[in-house]
Amino acid sequence: MRGFLASSIGVTCAAALALPLTLPAATASARPAPAAEQAADASAAVPGQTQSLPLVPLTVDRALGSTAVQGLTRRDVRHFSLVGVVWDDPDAELHGRVQVRTRGSTTGKWSGWQDVETHNHEHAADPDTAERAAGRVRGATAPLWVGDSDGVEVRVRAVAESRVEETGRGARTATAEAVLPSGLRLELVDPGRAADVPAARPALGARPAPGSVPGTGAAPAGAVSADSPRTGSLGAGTVAASAANSALAPLGAMELPALGRAATLRELALLREGRAQAQPKIGPRPRIVTRRGWGADESLREKKFVYTKSVKAAFVHHTASGNKYLCSQVPSVIRSIYRYHVKSMGWRDIGYNFLVDKCGNIYEGRAGGVAKAVLGAHTLGFNTNSMGIAVLGTFNTSKPSASAVTAIAKLTAWKLGIYGMDPRAKTSLKSGGGNLYKKGKNVRLNVISGHRDGFATQCPGGLLYGRLGTARTDAARLQGR
């Protein structure tokens, strides 16, 4: 399977490949009850859920030949907002095209066919790690955000892959049979509703939140102090995830407010346990929405946090989940991706260390503490001593917002500054194994790299990748370099 990879680089799900399928008529099952049936106190938490539906062979137009096609015809389902396709073997790649169409639960109208990004296996834990070796890990497409829906249709078509083989008579091109991975299932994710989660808003820049005391850890707006009556209602997982940020904010904080440079330097001294550094270079801490702020269900993830020694590099990604979201929906989008990573793909937690939206808001990703060297599952082969920043959206043909690029610069100026890294420099990381660098090879990489620098992939999309130079320059300026 790995032999086919080189020929697939540069091919996206949106590659031209018409699928004129002859599909059976829509199912006649009863449509779900109206939204009123799901009515609940808006302030109460409503658990998310995942519907996992096995795909079946579809009738194919004879003109297409015998290429394998699986899917589901139109059907009514419970409410969901994000879709993806998973399969049994995490090492198997889906060479082909995945398309879905959905019915809006409010309008009752069906969308057009939408492509789902299939090249997603490079977002994963490193080989030979406990997370990667867990028996529950599956292969998967990227998730696609579709908004509140109650109907779905999906079709998956395999595409024959070509590879070049060296023989005694020279190179020859061999074509592999078009097959699909076994155990294909459609995952429909409902993010649920989290209590006390405020709507996302445009990033405020480096200003302390009203009422906060810079550098003291005093409660920002929306925070819950340790002696608040509401703190006692927090579950053990929420307390643990929040406590990992105890040096920065009180227990139960919804966000970490932005700090000025002086307050950031005072905080840095505390983070380094008083160890002095001559003229530290660090950007002002940006505002970061915590896991509690976006409503993470801490019962989903594994309890223990896993750390590496340092953060020497930041890998920038896109989630490939589409750009059709409002910033007010971002907490729901992140809860959906989190549930997809854990429940559908079998990871220990959400894969990214941070997420950024189109409005420039920054969100805590994998639990363990935003200032700490938390081991993620974002760049196969290079998760150790690095962090992963995922911009919500797809940037192969769409430009990232200026606010998102600025947020990357602010976040890297601060987080890399904690570990003494220059955003414009290069660093050395040891490969854990991948399709560009063999396991154990020391690789020179930009301190701020794109995912494609460590693995042959389209991520983070050409148009976001092209803005990383700006992010490096701005991050260095914020550090005072």
Side-chain angles (χ1 to χ4, degrees):
M1 189 64 70
R2 293 291 179 190
F4 304 151
L5 186 58
S7 64
S8 68
I9 301 305
V11 179
T12 68
C13 315
L17 180 61
L19 292 176
L21 305 178
T22 304
L23 301 178
T27 59
S29 60
R31 184 173 179 177
E37 184 178 279
Q38 299 185 354
D41 182 351
S43 65
V46 177
Q49 61 178 336
T50 301
Q51 302 170 70
S52 186
L53 309 176
L55 302 191
V56 298
L58 295 177
T59 303
V60 186
D61 189 320
R62 291 183 181 276
L64 295 176
S66 59
T67 299
V69 181
Q70 294 185 31
L72 296 172
T73 56
R74 285 192 187 187
R75 62 190 57 211
D76 303 322
V77 293
R78 297 190 302 275
H79 284 248
F80 68 96
S81 297
L82 179 140
V83 304
V85 172
V86 301
W87 52 91
D88 295 337
D89 183 359
D91 292 319
E93 297 176 46
L94 196 163
H95 294 285
R97 191 179 191 188
V98 177
Q99 292 184 303
V100 299
R101 57 186 309 200
T102 56
R103 183 181 61 206
S105 59
T106 302
T107 65
K109 296 181 179 179
W110 285 87
S111 71
W113 287 105
Q114 300 182 76
D115 287 292
V116 180
E117 176 62 64
T118 59
H119 298 293
N120 189 57
H121 66 283
E122 65 270 18
H123 298 80
D126 288 348
D128 300 328
T129 61
E131 181 174 5
R132 181 62 179 79
R136 64 180 181 276
V137 177
R138 304 181 185 91
T141 68
L144 178 68
W145 175 260
V146 294
D148 191 25
S149 306
D150 59 13
V152 69
E153 182 177 4
V154 61
R155 57 194 188 189
V156 181
R157 182 186 179 189
V159 174
E161 292 291 317
S162 299
R163 68 177 186 273
V164 176
E165 297 179 338
E166 293 296 333
T167 71
R169 296 182 178 180
R172 70 169 187 176
T173 300
T175 301
E177 181 183 359
V179 295
L180 293 172
S182 62
L184 289 172
R185 303 183 70 88
L186 176 67
E187 303 288 289
L188 305 176
V189 181
D190 174 8
R193 182 166 59 249
D196 301 324
V197 174
R201 57 187 170 87
L204 296 179
R207 294 192 306 234
S212 66
V213 181
T216 67
V224 180
S225 64
D227 56 359
S228 166
R230 283 163 42 193
T231 302
S233 65
L234 299 180
T238 300
V239 170
S242 186
N245 292 316
S246 61
L248 312 180
L251 190 67
M254 296 284 193
E255 65 177 50
L256 310 181
L259 298 181
R261 182 175 299 280
T264 300
L265 289 172
R266 290 196 295 270
E267 180 181 80
L268 179 62
L270 293 174
L271 292 172
R272 290 178 171 173
E273 299 177 346
R275 295 191 302 272
Q277 179 185 4
Q279 298 181 339
K281 302 291 187 180
I282 186 171
R285 188 184 78 189
R287 171 179 173 264
I288 301 173
V289 179
T290 65
R291 287 173 66 91
R292 185 164 186 251
W294 53 262
D297 179 352
E298 301 293 356
S299 68
L300 296 181
R301 64 171 175 81
E302 292 191 15
K303 293 181 180 180
K304 293 183 179 180
F305 308 138
V306 182
Y307 300 99
T308 60
K309 293 182 179 180
S310 183
V311 178
K312 299 170 63 178
F315 286 98
V316 178
H317 306 256
H318 66 176
T319 58
S321 52
N323 304 313
K324 298 179 181 178
Y325 68 88
L326 303 175
C327 289
S328 60
Q329 296 175 311
V330 168
S332 292
V333 176
I334 297 176
R335 289 198 303 276
S336 297
I337 295 173
Y338 170 44
R339 175 171 281 272
Y340 184 70
H341 281 183
V342 177
K343 302 296 289 185
S344 299
M345 298 179 66
W347 294 357
R348 62 180 296 117
D349 194 350
I350 192 169
Y352 308 112
N353 298 104
F354 296 93
L355 299 101
V356 171
D357 68 21
K358 65 177 72 173
C359 289
N361 295 295
I362 301 169
Y363 301 82
E364 178 183 15
R366 180 162 288 207
V370 295
K372 300 178 182 179
V374 179
L375 177 67
H378 48 83
T379 306
L380 182 65
F382 290 100
N383 290 302
T384 298
N385 295 332
S386 72
M387 67 174 181
I389 304 169
V391 181
L392 294 171
T394 306
F395 303 106
N396 296 320
T397 58
S398 297
K399 294 181 180 179
S401 69
S403 296
V405 177
T406 297
I408 294 171
K410 290 180 177 179
L411 176 57
T412 52
W414 172 71
K415 182 64 180 280
L416 293 172
I418 294 174
Y419 294 88
M421 301 303 297
D422 181 349
R424 298 169 304 181
K426 291 185 179 293
T427 188
S428 179
L429 292 178
K430 181 177 290 188
S431 173
N435 66 353
L436 278 181
Y437 304 104
K438 65 181 181 180
K439 183 176 179 179
K441 181 178 177 60
N442 287 315
V443 182
R444 293 288 290 174
L445 294 163
N446 288 313
V447 168
I448 299 179
S449 286
H451 187 179
R452 62 178 62 182
D453 294 322
F455 198 99
T457 172
Q458 294 234 338
C459 184
L463 296 183
L464 175 55
Y465 187 77
R467 297 301 306 279
L468 296 188
T470 298
R472 295 183 191 106
T473 300
D474 290 348
R477 175 180 54 79
L478 288 168
Q479 286 188 345
R481 296 183 186 274

